[in-house]
Amino acid sequence: MQVFNRGAELSAALGNEKVLTGFVPTMGALHEGHVSLVERCRRECRRVVVSVFVNPTQFNDPADLRSYPRNLEADLKLLEAAGADFVYAPSVEDVYPEPDTRQFDFGQTDKVMEGAHRPGHFNGVAQVVSRLFAIVQPDKAYFGEKDFQQIAVIRAMVRQLQIPVQIVPCPIVRGADGLALSSRNALLTAEHRAAAPQIYAALKAGVEFSRTATVAQTERFVTERIDSDPLLKVEYFQIVDADTLLPLDQWREGVATRGCAAVQAGAVRLIDNVGGYGPYDK
Ligand code: AMP
């Protein structure tokens, strides 16, 4: 496994030879969720490239950027074991020699949920991912469904910029107690960590409830269930069309659903999502 701090050097090492190249962009503080993406990439591609970069332009909260966990040494050990060939761990200056002023427009896709609650977040994601794609030029890029809306935004970006890469969505990896693995879980207090699995439990309970209830009733049910724990506070819970990410007003036959939540657990903001809501999407 080779580690690069400079994009130009990584590009040169990758060369122009046509080799099926897979790419996994991450912000480090790696866990089994990231590892599942790298292992899938390893199975499907000849060459596996992983980036570890905490991208400042996608943080709308400076305190969140400051406290974001970083541990490159441990990350490199995990990546080596998972079968990565190339790691790109750059400085901010290497990725952004000059400020990126590009403004993307993803229509309605980035106006709801994370897009509505974290202004500028997806614009920053598109900035960094488009730069990383330009350096790595991958054939396939792997993204976790943990960030469900992010996949739709990346797909829109790839279409708009006509980047010839296949986006591969990967299932959410959870702890034994159901909590979706996240680098931010390490920042939870012991009490909030103990409460956090109730998010997934409520999302799943909502799927059962939704079989005989309306969209609005289900959204209220899940929200109240999570909020019933004083340590958790729902920022939003919304059931959307899984393809367009647009909010559903009623269940529709043939439309796949996804229930997406953002929850404040003390100082830490957690997101999670589950599919299969309503009487049709079983
Ligand atoms: P991050 O380092 O949080 O930016 O995540 C890098 C990639 O790993 C993104 O595509 C995430 O969606 C994905 N990822 C993060 N957590 C999980 C998880 N628990 N299961 C599956 N993929 C994940």
Side-chain angles (χ1 to χ4, degrees):
M1 185 174 85
Q2 289 177 265
V3 182
F4 295 86
N5 308 121
R6 295 183 194 282
E9 287 168 17
L10 172 64
S11 279
L14 291 170
N16 294 323
E17 213 190 322
K18 273 254 123 279
V19 185
L20 184 66
T21 301
F23 179 43
V24 183
T26 82
M27 298 205 299
L30 302 180
H31 50 65
E32 285 303 312
H34 300 108
V35 168
S36 74
L37 271 54
V38 177
E39 288 178 344
R40 170 123 180 236
C41 183
R42 178 73 280 165
R43 288 196 298 276
E44 297 182 356
C45 301
R46 265 288 296 287
R47 250 181 355 194
V48 174
V49 185
V50 180
S51 62
V52 176
F53 177 58
V54 181
N55 171 40
T57 74
Q58 73 188 67
F59 283 79
N60 56 317
D61 174 1
D64 187 26
L65 175 59
R66 268 197 307 278
S67 66
Y68 199 85
R70 292 158 215 247
N71 192 347
L72 185 60
E73 215 173 300
D75 290 347
L76 294 178
K77 286 203 185 106
L78 272 185
L79 291 176
E80 176 109 60
D85 299 311
F86 299 87
V87 177
Y88 178 44
S91 63
V92 173
E93 292 71 29
D94 195 63
V95 177
Y96 299 107
E98 297 162 23
D100 192 334
T101 55
R102 288 176 298 164
Q103 289 292 330
F104 292 85
D105 184 355
F106 300 117
Q108 285 307 304
T109 312
D110 68 346
K111 304 289 183 294
V112 295
M113 302 193 292
E114 291 302 279
H117 287 86
R118 299 185 67 190
H121 168 64
F122 285 128
N123 200 63
V125 168
Q127 288 175 342
V128 75
V129 174
S130 60
R131 281 166 181 262
L132 295 170
F133 281 180
I135 294 168
V136 177
Q137 305 206 358
D139 299 288
K140 294 176 155 211
Y142 296 79
F143 291 89
E145 288 183 334
K146 159 96 181 350
D147 300 277
F148 197 76
Q149 195 175 3
Q150 173 170 273
I151 296 177
V153 167
I154 299 284
R155 286 202 157 118
M157 179 199 81
V158 160
R159 274 197 306 274
Q160 283 181 14
L161 301 181
Q162 297 179 294
I163 304 174
V165 60
Q166 183 192 338
I167 303 302
V168 184
C170 304
I172 300 175
V173 177
R174 302 179 177 281
D177 57 11
L179 178 64
L181 298 188
S182 164
S183 305
R184 288 188 179 87
N185 291 352
L187 303 173
L188 291 165
T189 66
E191 280 176 306
H192 289 101
R193 177 64 189 78
Q198 293 185 62
I199 300 168
Y200 179 60
L203 295 178
K204 292 292 284 179
V207 171
E208 288 317 307
F209 181 87
S210 70
R211 303 293 183 216
T212 55
T214 66
V215 174
Q217 285 166 341
T218 307
E219 288 177 340
R220 205 170 320 124
F221 171 84
V222 171
T223 302
E224 284 172 3
R225 184 115 172 192
I226 297 172
D227 278 343
S228 69
D229 188 315
L231 294 174
L232 304 175
K233 178 81 195 99
V234 173
E235 187 176 294
Y236 65 78
F237 170 68
Q238 193 144 42
I239 299 171
V240 297
D241 177 323
D243 295 315
T244 63
L245 274 296
L246 295 183
L248 277 187
D249 50 352
Q250 57 181 43
W251 310 120
R252 291 176 202 279
E253 218 165 339
V255 171
T257 61
R258 203 88 184 182
C260 304
V263 177
Q264 200 69 42
V268 183
R269 186 176 179 278
L270 300 174
I271 59 170
D272 198 355
N273 64 83
V274 158
Y277 285 85
Y280 305 117
D281 186 14
K282 290 190 185 172

